[in-house]
Structures are given as C-alpha cells and as structure tokens.
Amino acid sequence: MVTHFLRVVAFAASAWCFALHRRNGTGLAVDIDWNDVLMESKTTATLQSVANPPLLSNSSTRVNALESLRTVAADYVRYVPWFPYPRLAVPEINAPVINETHCSTSWDFSYADQLLLDFMASTPDVSHIINFSTTPDWMWVTDTPYTYPEDVNTIDWNYNNGTQLRDPSLKEISDYYRRLLSWYVKGGFTDECGVYHESGHHLDIEFWEILNEPDSEHDIQPDLYNRIYDAVTEAIHEVSPNTQFVGLALATRNVTWVQSFLNPANHKAGTPLDWISYHFYATPDNSTTQNEAAQSFQQADTFLGEVVQIEAARRQISPHTKTTIDELGTMDPLGSTTVYPNYTIPEEYWVWSGGIYAYIFSKLAVVGIDAIGESQLSGYPGQYPSVSLIDYHTGLPTARLRALQLIQASLRPGDKLVKTTSDETQIHAQAFETSQGQKRTLLVNKLDQVAGIQVPGFQGGTAEIVDVSTGGNPWRTEKVAGNSVNVAPYAIVVLTEA
Ligand SMILES: *[C@@H]1O[C@H](CO)[C@@H](O)[C@H](O)[C@H]1NC(C)=O
Ligand SMILES: *[C@@H]1O[C@H](CO)[C@@H](O)[C@H](O)[C@H]1NC(C)=O
Ligand SMILES: *[C@@H]1O[C@H](CO)[C@@H](O)[C@H](O)[C@H]1NC(C)=O
Ligand SMILES: *[C@@H]1O[C@H](CO)[C@@H](O)[C@H](O)[C@H]1NC(C)=O
Ligand SMILES: *[C@@H]1O[C@H](CO)[C@@H](O)[C@H](O)[C@H]1NC(C)=O
Ligand SMILES: *[C@@H]1O[C@H](CO)[C@@H](O)[C@H](O)[C@H]1NC(C)=O
Ligand SMILES: *[C@@H]1O[C@H](CO)[C@@H](O)[C@H](O)[C@H]1NC(C)=O
Ligand SMILES: *[C@@H]1O[C@H](CO)[C@@H](O)[C@H](O)[C@H]1NC(C)=O
C-alpha cells in the first residue's frame, strides 16, 4: 500500500517535470513504459440519474432519455430521488394522522414507482445504488409547518428544512426506510395504522445510500449522521439482508467526516461500513469557454489532491471500505442552475466537460478508486442544465455522455495501467493494456488548440475521437499511420495499437 502511494507521487512529480519541456502544442511527447505496470485497474465508469419531471411517463423526452441511459448503464449506476421535487422523492408526503378515533397515512408510490421502475428497466444486468435521499420534512422540527407544492413540476428549494428530527430515538426515520425498502423488495409493507400496502415488487437492490450531502443538507453533524446510518442500515437489513450500504455522500471532501464515519467505535457493533461516497463539481466563474475549461482543470487538480488525503485516511482506518465518487460534474457559469437569456451552452462546453470526467477518471484509476459516477442523466433549466448528460430538448446524448461511453468501451476493470508521462499542461495521457492484450492510450486535450503529439514506439492503429465535430453523435474512428497524432481541441481520444 505504501509502495503504491510512493509510485503515485513519483508519477505526478515526473509529469510535472516534463511540463517544463513543453513545445507549444506541437511535438508534445507522450512517453509510455509498457513494462512498468502501475496497477490493475478496478475502476468502473458509471453515472447517476436524479429523478425529475422530464423523466416522468408523460414527458416527451422520456423515451430518448431512457435510451441514452441504457447506452451507458454500468455497475454502481446511481438513482437519486431528490428534495427539490418533494412529491417525486417522498412517497409518504404527509405525516400520518393518528388519534383515538382516526388513523390514516399518505403513502403513495405512483411517481416514485414510475421513475424507479423505468430506471431499473433501462439499466438491466448491472448493480444499482439506490438513494431515496430525501427524508420527509415532517420528520424534522421546523419553525412553522411547511407546505410542499402540489404541482410535481415545481422546483422547491425550501423542502429540506430542519436540523433536528422530531423523533430523536430515530425509530420514525428507520421505520420509514424499512417500509420503503419493503415496498420494493418484499412486495409490500404494513403502514403506521396496520394497513397492508401491496406493491408486487421484488427488486434486487444491491446498494443503498444513506442520505445525501449530510454536510450541507439539514446541517447534520457527523455524530447524528452516524447514528442515523446505524439505525437505518439495521432497519433495512431486516427486510433486505443482502443490500450493501453506501455512506456519507459528502458534498465537500471533508476528512473529519470520513474519519468519524469510518471509525468503528462511532458505530453500533456489527454495522457494515461497505462503501463511502463523495462528490465533486468544477464550478468555474469566468464565462469564456477557454477560461472555464482552464479553471475547471485546475479545480480538478485540487480535488485529486483531496482524494489522496481521503484515501490515506480510508486505508488507515478501514481499508476494506470501498469508494464511489458518485457525483462528478462541471457547471457552465451561464448555465449552472438555469440558462441565461439568449445563451446557448456551446458545443465546446459539452466536450471539455467530458474531458474533465475522462481526466479525473484516468487519474483516479491509478489511485484505485472503485467507481466514478458522472452526474447527471437529466438536467434542464432550473435543475443544473449544464450538468446534464443528455440534451434536455430531445433526451439524446451530449458529448459528455459520449465521452463516458468511450471510456466504458475502452478502459475496463482488469486492464493494466502502465507508466505514462506527458506534458500535462495541454495533454493528459494514460496508457493501459487490456485483458485481451490490446495496447491503448487515453488522451485528453485540455486546451482549445490542436495538440500535435508524438508517441515513441507507437506504430499505427486507430484513434477513437469525441470532439466538437462529433458532439452528441457516436465517436468517430480514424486510422493513424505513424507515431504522430493531432489531437483536436478539448478532444477525448483513445488510441489503439494495430
Ligand atoms: C507558441 O505560442 C505562442 C502563444 O500562443 C506564440 O506567440 C508563439 O508564436 C508560438 N510559437 C511557435 C513556435 O509556434
Ligand atoms: C405529467 O403529469 C403531471 C401530473 O401527473 C403533470 O403535472 C405534468 O404537467 C405532466 N407533464 C406533461 C409534460 O404533460
Ligand atoms: C382525529 O383526526 C381526524 C382527522 O384529522 C379528525 O377529523 C378528528 O377530529 C380527530 N379526533 C380527535 C378526537 O382529535
Ligand atoms: C425553510 O428553509 C427556507 C430556506 O432556508 C426558509 O426560507 C423557510 O422559511 C424555511 N421554512 C420553514 C418552515 O422552516
Ligand atoms: C444520496 O443522494 C443525495 C442527493 O444527491 C446525495 O447528496 C447523498 O450524498 C447521497 N448519499 C450517499 C451516501 O451517497
Ligand atoms: C468538516 O466537518 C466538520 C464536522 O462537521 C466541521 O466542524 C468542519 O468545519 C468541516 N470543515 C470544513 C473545512 O468544512
Ligand atoms: C476571465 O479571464 C480573462 C482572460 O484570462 C480575464 O481577462 C478576466 O479578468 C477574467 N475574469 C474574471 C471575472 O476572472
Ligand atoms: C434576447 O434576444 C431577444 C431577440 O434578439 C432580445 O429582444 C432580448 O432583449 C434579448 N434578451 C436579453 C436578456 O438579452
């Protein structure tokens, strides 16, 4: 383990030294040592889908969106009903009404079922991380009772209120999740009034994530999070004993949270600490394409440093716990939450954003992260349009989705990552040998200039390319004759030796 870390550090340092010798975008050398295997990749490239109205059964883009999802469905694909749509995310939207003469509940899965069952049907034969992250607001102590919007299309940023659960014993929240799981895996459940609700669902839920971004939602502190995690995982295991759990889902990369969560002394004996998760978004503020991309690659480098710190803590405290970085994305400052009037997110954006994912994926494969999930299938004005993997007008893929698909098709768990050095100021490169013995190199051009590169020893083959000209279409394949390759601006390229 220690040796491996030193290698990563040495690798980063040599790449940095190499940058001193860059030659202005032409003749950039990519040096590969096929005999120096850094490690066998165990990283899965995947994505998350956040449930929202464009995915409802009556939406005109639903069919294309689900087909796009099917194109990139991979293990650990993550599904998150989220709080801005209370009626889509919370199947028990009102508190039960229980008094001496009356007992009624509001359980209603009509939206939750539409969305989850479509998601499951579009992601066959892979494992799923399901995260009904939003707890009902009525379980939290708030100053005034809160009313959610009746219209399912309305985005409500105020839903997630309160910092204290009204039932501090955690029985209420555990019962909620036990019933929810039981609906999906055991065919139904008995509600608070003793009434049985039959679903007929017998899904296999492999992974369940506990809450979302507790470091920003409800202002939860690590101690409360750990207690909720223990109580809810115990309740879920009663109805779905084989489900594994994903903890944390941090918005920030806060090592204090990771250390607290991974310490068995902070949990009930026997609580499984299977996985942790955390998130990263590049959020540039300079709205010209070139500056956005440059800022985003810089922020990505900061994030990569944070991952190394978290990994050090994880390896020390709980080495068997796996990691999924299950939200990775970028935002166009003019299209972050909504889209500015008269602004169209440019094609270049979707390409360099795909490049950020490819870059981080490549760097973290060498660190040994288990799964890296791109965020998010469906975004649209009001809900992070520039984080979308599909075109929100049509539901068809963007270049971000194609870049993810290209990585999935090329670099798989089991491939051998070998020592690769390049001028990281313009070109990121990572070579690998597939389990079938094919020699491949992933290239990411970080700039909007063509990069003329030399790959000593490369004797020709093919280049598969996602760039501005291919956009949301499938990548193009070109023949490469010698060892010089021109990499288009912001392109994501996979070279395969003949
Ligand atoms: C290198 O790039 C700089 C800045 O774009 C430019 O001024 C210079 O002429 C280039 N040099 C060569 C040799 O292309
Ligand atoms: C879909 O149905 C919901 C209610 O079930 C409605 O609020 C929404 O406007 C409908 N969307 C479309 C596109 O018709
Ligand atoms: C019990 O709740 C029902 C429904 O809210 C209400 O109509 C009824 O008046 C309540 N009864 C008592 C005794 O509070
Ligand atoms: C919920 O939170 C929002 C934003 O913090 C706040 O404006 C609103 O007053 C809160 N509502 C309640 C009922 O606490
Ligand atoms: C569950 O999803 C929410 C919403 O995206 C996210 O903030 C949270 O981190 C997720 N939980 C885990 C454990 O990943
Ligand atoms: C990390 O989380 C801890 C616990 O919530 C908090 O006290 C600390 O301020 C956080 N650190 C950062 C940098 O946000
Ligand atoms: C954006 O980048 C341009 C070019 O580097 C620079 O002139 C400008 O000051 C930057 N704007 C901001 C807000 O950082
Ligand atoms: C958007 O474009 C229209 C038509 O060109 C123009 O009338 C309008 O003022 C523009 N709006 C903004 C906010 O620039």
Side-chain angles (χ1 to χ4, degrees):
M1 219 181 304
V2 174
T3 327
H4 169 66
F5 257 105
L6 290 175
R7 281 194 105 118
V8 172
V9 171
F11 170 63
S14 65
W16 181 79
C17 293
F18 203 85
L20 300 176
H21 305 296
R22 71 188 284 258
R23 274 165 284 162
N24 219 28
T26 58
L28 301 169
V30 170
D31 288 321
I32 302 168
D33 184 349
W34 291 104
N35 295 319
D36 190 350
V37 176
L38 302 172
M39 65 181 296
E40 200 169 276
S41 177
K42 55 176 181 168
T43 308
T44 299
T46 187
L47 76 157
Q48 75 154 345
S49 175
V50 175
N52 53 34
L55 300 170
L56 282 172
S57 60
N58 59 353
S59 156
S60 62
T61 54
R62 166 182 166 270
V63 170
N64 284 343
L66 294 176
E67 190 51 40
S68 295
L69 171 60
R70 190 181 283 274
T71 310
V72 283
D75 275 339
Y76 315 120
V77 61
R78 175 172 184 249
Y79 175 75
V80 187
W82 198 32
F83 75 86
Y85 312 97
R87 295 192 63 205
L88 304 187
V90 179
E92 191 181 26
I93 193 74
N94 297 316
V97 180
I98 303 172
N99 64 27
E100 283 149 22
T101 57
H102 176 98
C103 191
S104 65
T105 66
S106 61
W107 287 101
D108 175 1
F109 283 86
S110 46
Y111 295 115
D113 273 10
Q114 267 183 41
L115 293 160
L116 178 64
L117 299 179
D118 268 355
F119 171 81
M120 296 302 265
S122 307
T123 56
D125 310 320
V126 302
S127 61
H128 308 87
I129 298 178
I130 307 296
N131 174 354
F132 274 78
S133 62
T134 306
T135 46
D137 232 20
W138 52 261
M139 285 185 189
W140 297 84
V141 179
T142 53
D143 302 342
T144 49
Y146 184 63
T147 43
Y148 56 86
E150 271 306 321
D151 182 353
V152 299
N153 303 297
T154 302
I155 297 167
D156 176 14
W157 292 112
N158 285 336
Y159 187 71
N160 241 7
N161 269 21
T163 58
Q164 282 180 340
L165 285 161
R166 71 175 193 178
D167 172 14
S169 79
L170 307 184
K171 183 175 182 316
E172 190 165 67
I173 189 171
S174 310
D175 284 348
Y176 173 77
Y177 280 108
R178 183 192 290 106
R179 291 190 171 105
L180 211 163
L181 257 286
S182 197
W183 174 264
Y184 285 116
V185 305
K186 294 196 84 170
F189 67 89
T190 303
D191 73 15
E192 294 89 328
C193 301
V195 176
Y196 186 73
H197 298 251
E198 187 177 347
S199 68
H201 303 320
H202 294 278
L203 302 179
D204 187 10
I205 294 188
E206 302 89 343
F207 303 100
W208 189 275
E209 199 170 32
I210 309 292
L211 306 187
N212 185 44
E213 304 194 348
D215 48 341
S216 64
E217 296 181 8
H218 290 293
D219 192 23
I220 294 175
Q221 289 302 308
D223 173 58
L224 175 60
Y225 181 80
N226 292 340
R227 286 192 297 118
I228 293 176
Y229 180 92
D230 292 0
V232 173
T233 55
E234 190 178 351
I236 289 178
H237 261 176
E238 283 170 23
V239 293
S240 188
N242 295 326
T243 296
Q244 288 190 35
F245 295 99
V246 183
L248 291 181
L250 294 177
T252 59
R253 279 71 56 194
N254 185 325
V255 180
T256 308
W257 271 84
V258 175
Q259 286 167 333
S260 165
F261 178 74
L262 289 178
N263 185 350
N266 294 333
H267 293 277
K268 259 201 220 169
T271 298
L273 300 173
D274 303 315
W275 289 74
I276 55 170
S277 62
Y278 48 96
H279 306 159
F280 167 72
Y281 290 92
T283 52
D285 57 16
N286 195 322
S287 61
T288 69
T289 296
Q290 291 174 355
N291 295 319
E292 279 177 39
Q295 279 187 332
S296 297
F297 278 102
Q298 273 167 19
Q299 291 176 11
D301 285 334
T302 304
F303 169 65
L304 292 168
E306 293 168 337
V307 174
V308 169
Q309 279 184 12
I310 291 180
E311 276 295 279
R314 183 192 64 77
R315 283 160 198 255
Q316 193 195 355
I317 307 170
S318 187
H320 70 276
T321 302
K322 294 184 176 179
T323 299
T324 172
I325 293 172
D326 53 11
E327 289 187 32
L328 204 60
T330 62
M331 291 180 200
D332 181 337
L334 299 183
S336 55
T337 47
T338 181
V339 179
Y340 272 49
N342 296 354
Y343 179 72
T344 304
I345 299 172
E347 196 57 56
E348 284 82 359
Y349 169 83
W350 304 108
V351 178
W352 71 248
S353 177
I356 292 276
Y357 179 83
Y359 174 62
I360 293 176
F361 179 89
S362 168
K363 289 279 201 175
L364 292 186
V366 179
V367 174
I369 298 295
D370 299 281
I372 302 177
E374 193 158 6
S375 182
Q376 64 167 336
L377 179 69
S378 165
Y380 64 96
Q383 282 298 295
Y384 304 106
S386 59
V387 182
S388 193
L389 285 159
I390 56 178
D391 177 341
Y392 51 81
H393 302 102
T394 61
L396 296 170
T398 65
R400 293 184 80 217
L401 185 142
R402 295 300 181 186
L404 171 63
Q405 188 188 3
L406 177 60
I407 289 172
Q408 291 176 337
S410 317
L411 207 180
R412 298 203 179 85
D415 293 353
K416 292 191 180 70
L417 300 158
V418 304
K419 186 172 180 194
T420 313
T421 37
S422 63
D423 172 359
E424 287 279 348
T425 54
Q426 178 160 15
I427 281 286
H428 171 71
Q430 178 59 55
F432 53 98
E433 185 169 342
T434 70
S435 39
Q436 283 83 40
Q438 281 171 311
K439 289 182 171 161
R440 290 188 162 151
T441 307
L442 172 68
L443 300 167
V444 179
N445 187 346
K446 299 176 183 176
L447 302 181
D448 73 339
Q449 304 161 16
V450 175
I453 64 163
Q454 304 272 316
V455 190
F458 184 77
Q459 306 194 340
T462 56
E464 290 164 296
I465 303 160
V466 173
D467 66 5
V468 171
S469 77
T470 57
N473 294 314
W475 56 82
R476 68 176 193 275
T477 305
E478 286 180 357
K479 276 213 150 46
V480 180
N483 66 6
S484 311
V485 184
N486 281 334
V487 183
Y490 297 134
I492 302 100
V493 175
V494 175
L495 285 181
T496 303
E497 279 196 30

